[in-house]
């Protein structure tokens, strides 16, 4: 057995001894990767947010139906007489894990930190001009103009204790891409239902219930969180009773687990699109044998790549039916999605070859594709399939597969020519996609515009969405932007991801559209 698998096995055995299979209050939760960091504003990444939601809290969040519901804020509304100000009324009597009271000053500190230069969430707060405390339980957010959808942007902006942060010198956000660390990377102090008891990165983290949490006491009183990258090991751990819930079920195991006595599988669509991206610009690619130009900068090449992509084959063979092929880089949950945008061309290898020849690459070219191998459902297998499809039209692709913890710095450091990524949309609005993936990279926008696409005319339209109060006009602008994004093939979407959670049959954990299950929602059969 490999050393890493031996280590995982030892952790599982230790967890079983500590928790006991019959001890219903403990849930051993396994998924394919770990949180990248515990600094709440360092990474805008789904696994990281999911883990953090158990420790820290947001002003509001979404239930399993996708509805915006109160959390640390009990009310939010536009200030009477001033449409540029959002008012948040805060929950009283809330405590941080160290016993400190939660007040408006913590919200002001946290929103300012989240919109600071080093934050990976700053684009969500780009229209914020100032955050101010009116009293201990009222916060006003001054926008640069009317911003009717701003509350949708704060569902992953976690609230920190200002005093604790200052005492531990974490006023500034961790620079993850540069490999920086700070006290908040491994230590926490939130208001959430669980406290961090121990953490061994990429191996095991333990959370215990916070007895002074303001919400209804959860049935799960201890969480043993186990990142297990290997699919077979993760499923075997469930079947052997060493874990209770597997969040990332491999597609090839769904039916087997459904038919295994003592277990059940919950499935549902996720608000996430899986896509390929590539580098724009005249500068030659770093990983290509073409040294005098960038093939991806030619729209004929991008069209050829789309005609090589057989989305239906990936759905049927790679995903075993567990995906929804798409022609646009947004899931159906999101405002701006239409059936027309969702259409995609049938693969046409011969036409793709002709387009490459027209572009000046009759013999194709070479390039490296960077892919994660433990973040999205069958991510490496999707990339492997596309490598084969591109090979049919003469594009020779070298696959570089890495764990998400190694893939993310490459993405954020703009060190890739060609990559696979997934994008969830917690705001349920297209502006979130445009702000991060399409807008020219600036201090406040384009954080995940890895390919460096730039269209000043689109940038103006994207910025206008933040303060447009006429929702019909806003939707028309969204449609105009999508028309250009799709025509330019800014991104090459593959499919919308579907989810499967497997668990013991006496546990119920519903699938969350943001793939952010919370152990406070677990119910045990009596």
């Amino acid at each position: 057995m490999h050393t890493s698998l031996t280590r995982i096995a030892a952790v599982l055995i230790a967890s079983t001894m500590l928790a006991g299979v019959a001890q219903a209050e403990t849930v051993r939760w396994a998924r394919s990767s770990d949180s990248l960091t515990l600094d709440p504003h360092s990474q805008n990444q789904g696994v990281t947010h999911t883990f953090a939601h158990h420790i820290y809290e947001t002003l509001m969040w979404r239930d399993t139906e996708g509805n915006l519901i109160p959390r640390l804020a009990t009310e939010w509304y536009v200030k009477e007489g001033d449409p540029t100000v959002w008012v948040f009324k805060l929950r009283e009597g809330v405590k941080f894990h160290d016993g400190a009271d939660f007040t408006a000053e913590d919200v002001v500190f946290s929103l300012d930190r989240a919109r600071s230069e080093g934050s990976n969430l700053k684009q969500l707060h780009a229209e914020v001009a100032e955050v101010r405390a009116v009293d201990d339980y009222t916060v006003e957010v001054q926008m640069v103009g009317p911003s009717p959808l701003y509350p949708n942007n704060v569902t992953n902006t976690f609230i920190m204790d200002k005093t604790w942060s200052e005492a531990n010198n974490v006023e500034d956000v961790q620079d993850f891409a540069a490999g920086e660390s700070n006290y908040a990377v491994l230590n926490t102090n939130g208001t959430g239902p669980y406290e961090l008891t121990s953490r061994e990165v990429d191996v095991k983290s333990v959370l215990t219930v916070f007895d002074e949490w303001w919400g209804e006491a959860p049935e799960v009183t201890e969480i043993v969180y186990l990142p297990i990258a290997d699919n077979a090991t993760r499923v075997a751990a469930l079947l052997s009773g060493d874990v209770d819930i597997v969040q990332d079920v491999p597609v090839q195991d769904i039916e087997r687990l459904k038919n295994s006595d003592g277990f059940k599988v919950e499935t549902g669509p996720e608000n996430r699109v899986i896509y390929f991206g590539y580098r724009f610009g005249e500068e030659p690619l770093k990983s290509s044998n073409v040294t005098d130009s960038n093939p991806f900068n030619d729209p004929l090449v991008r069209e050829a790549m789309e005609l090589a992509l057989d989305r239906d084959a990936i759905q049927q063979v790679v995903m075993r039916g567990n995906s929804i092929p798409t022609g646009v880089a947004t899931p159906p949950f999101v405002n701006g999605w239409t059936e027309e945008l969702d259409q995609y061309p049938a693969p046409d290898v011969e036409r793709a070859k002709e387009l490459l020849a027209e572009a000046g690459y009759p013999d194709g070219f070479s390039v490296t594709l960077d892919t994660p191998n433990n973040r999205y459902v069958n991510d490496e297998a999707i990339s492997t399939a596309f490598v084969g499809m591109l090979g049919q039209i003469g594009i020779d692709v070298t696959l570089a597969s890495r764990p998400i913890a190694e893939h993310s710095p490459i993405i954020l450091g703009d060190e890739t020519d060609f990559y696979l990524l997934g994008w969830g949309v917690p705001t349920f609005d297209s502006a979130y996609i445009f702000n991060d993936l399409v807008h020219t990279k600036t201090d406040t926008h384009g954080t995940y515009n890895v390919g460096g696409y730039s269209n000043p005319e689109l940038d103006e339209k994207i910025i206008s969405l933040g303060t447009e109060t006429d929702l019909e006009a806003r939707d028309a602008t969204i449609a105009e932007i999508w028309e250009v994004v799709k025509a330019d093939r800014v991104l090459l979407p593959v499919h919308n991801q579907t989810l499967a959670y497997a668990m013991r049959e006496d546990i119920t954990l519903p699938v969350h559209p943001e793939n952010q299950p919370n152990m406070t929602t677990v119910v045990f059969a009596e």
Side-chain angles (χ1 to χ4, degrees), residues 299-317:
L300 296 178
V301 172
R302 300 197 297 275
E303 183 180 354
M305 293 174 69
E306 178 160 36
L307 290 176
L309 177 61
D310 191 336
R311 295 170 170 90
D312 294 331
I314 289 176
Q315 180 201 38
Q316 294 160 17
V317 179

Side-chain angles (χ1 to χ4, degrees), residues 284-360:
L285 302 175
K286 298 176 183 178
S287 65
S288 178
N289 61 348
V290 177
T291 59
D292 60 351
S293 64
N294 174 3
F296 294 146
N297 212 39
D298 192 317
L300 296 178
V301 172
R302 300 197 297 275
E303 183 180 354
M305 293 174 69
E306 178 160 36
L307 290 176
L309 177 61
D310 191 336
R311 295 170 170 90
D312 294 331
I314 289 176
Q315 180 201 38
Q316 294 160 17
V317 179
V318 178
M319 306 305 293
R320 303 197 184 194
N322 292 281
S323 66
I324 305 169
T326 182
V328 64
T330 180
F333 290 93
V334 175
N335 177 49
W337 177 92
T338 66
E339 289 188 11
E340 183 179 1
L341 284 171
D342 206 40
Q343 300 305 304
Y344 52 88
D348 189 336
V349 170
E350 293 309 312
R351 178 56 184 154
K353 290 179 179 178
E354 291 173 2
L355 289 168
L356 283 182
E358 289 178 39

Side-chain angles (χ1 to χ4, degrees), residues 412-435:
L412 291 171
D414 295 332
E415 297 173 6
T416 179
D417 291 330
F418 184 29
Y419 59 94
L420 178 136
L421 206 61
W423 197 250
V425 191
T427 64
F428 286 59
D429 185 79
S430 289
Y432 183 83
I433 301 168
F434 302 150
N435 286 339

Side-chain angles (χ1 to χ4, degrees), residues 8-294:
I8 289 169
V11 169
L12 291 171
I13 291 169
S15 299
T16 301
M17 292 174 64
L18 287 170
V21 174
Q23 197 172 341
E25 296 81 5
T26 294
V27 160
R28 291 155 301 172
W29 168 22
R31 68 175 312 182
S32 59
S33 61
D34 201 358
S35 171
L36 295 174
T37 176
L38 300 187
D39 186 317
H41 308 134
S42 173
Q43 289 295 286
N44 188 17
Q45 192 253 5
V47 177
T48 303
H49 288 330
T50 300
F51 188 76
H53 273 291
H54 291 80
I55 301 169
Y56 290 97
E57 293 181 294
T58 51
L59 293 176
M60 62 275 292
W61 63 340
R62 294 191 185 274
D63 61 20
T64 53
E65 302 301 318
N67 301 310
L68 205 59
I69 59 175
R71 204 174 189 188
L72 288 178
T74 56
E75 297 178 69
W76 52 96
Y77 50 86
V78 173
K79 187 176 183 179
E80 187 175 354
D82 189 347
T84 67
V85 175
W86 273 98
V87 180
F88 294 89
K89 302 297 289 186
L90 306 181
R91 191 178 299 277
E92 299 185 25
V94 174
K95 296 282 188 181
F96 283 96
H97 295 161
D98 67 356
D101 292 328
F102 161 71
T103 67
E105 73 169 9
D106 302 307
V107 175
V108 173
F109 168 81
S110 299
L111 293 184
D112 283 343
R113 189 177 191 270
R115 65 191 187 95
S116 67
E117 183 179 353
S119 170
N120 208 215
L121 306 177
K122 59 182 179 292
Q123 67 282 0
L124 291 163
H125 306 278
E127 286 78 38
V128 175
E130 181 189 8
V131 186
R132 52 184 177 259
V134 177
D135 56 44
D136 281 351
Y137 296 103
T138 307
V139 170
E140 289 185 351
V141 180
Q142 174 68 60
M143 315 301 292
V144 297
S147 188
L149 300 180
Y150 176 67
N152 292 303
N153 290 13
V154 302
T155 57
N156 285 319
T157 298
F158 299 99
I159 304 304
M160 301 176 71
D161 179 1
K162 178 176 184 288
T163 302
W164 178 87
S165 299
E166 291 173 343
N168 291 291
N169 300 312
V170 293
E171 296 99 322
D172 295 330
V173 181
Q174 172 204 15
D175 187 342
F176 181 87
E180 181 186 277
S181 188
N182 65 32
Y183 187 77
V185 169
L186 292 174
N187 299 275
T188 63
N189 182 36
T191 60
Y194 298 97
E195 298 180 76
L196 181 69
T197 302
S198 66
R199 178 156 173 79
E200 191 175 354
V201 177
D202 290 329
V203 179
K204 173 187 172 185
S205 296
V206 178
L207 305 174
T208 54
V209 71
F210 177 45
D211 290 332
E212 293 188 68
W213 185 48
W214 58 267
E216 183 178 346
E219 293 189 31
V220 175
T221 56
E222 181 183 55
I223 301 167
V224 180
Y225 181 82
L226 298 158
I228 306 175
D230 183 75
N231 286 337
T233 304
R234 195 163 62 252
V235 172
L238 177 68
L239 291 172
S240 66
D242 287 326
V243 303
D244 306 304
I245 295 172
V246 168
Q247 186 174 340
D248 306 301
V249 180
V251 294
Q252 64 269 22
D253 292 310
I254 292 174
E255 291 305 315
R256 176 165 68 107
L257 290 171
K258 281 183 177 179
N259 296 315
S260 297
D261 290 342
F263 302 95
K264 63 183 180 182
V265 178
E266 300 281 352
T267 59
E270 185 184 6
N271 187 13
R272 181 178 303 279
V273 64
I274 304 298
Y275 66 93
F276 291 102
Y278 23 60
R279 182 164 298 285
F280 289 83
E282 299 296 337
E283 187 176 340
L285 302 175
K286 298 176 183 178
S287 65
S288 178
N289 61 348
V290 177
T291 59
D292 60 351
S293 64
N294 174 3

Side-chain angles (χ1 to χ4, degrees), residues 276 287 289 296 305 364-371 383-400 418-419:
F276 291 102
S287 65
N289 61 348
F296 294 146
M305 293 174 69
F365 56 90
S366 64
V367 70
T368 295
L369 169 61
D370 294 300
T371 184
S383 294
T384 299
F386 196 31
V387 167
M389 294 168 186
L390 290 173
Q392 291 183 312
I393 66 171
I395 300 179
D396 181 17
V397 181
T398 298
L399 188 65
F418 184 29
Y419 59 94

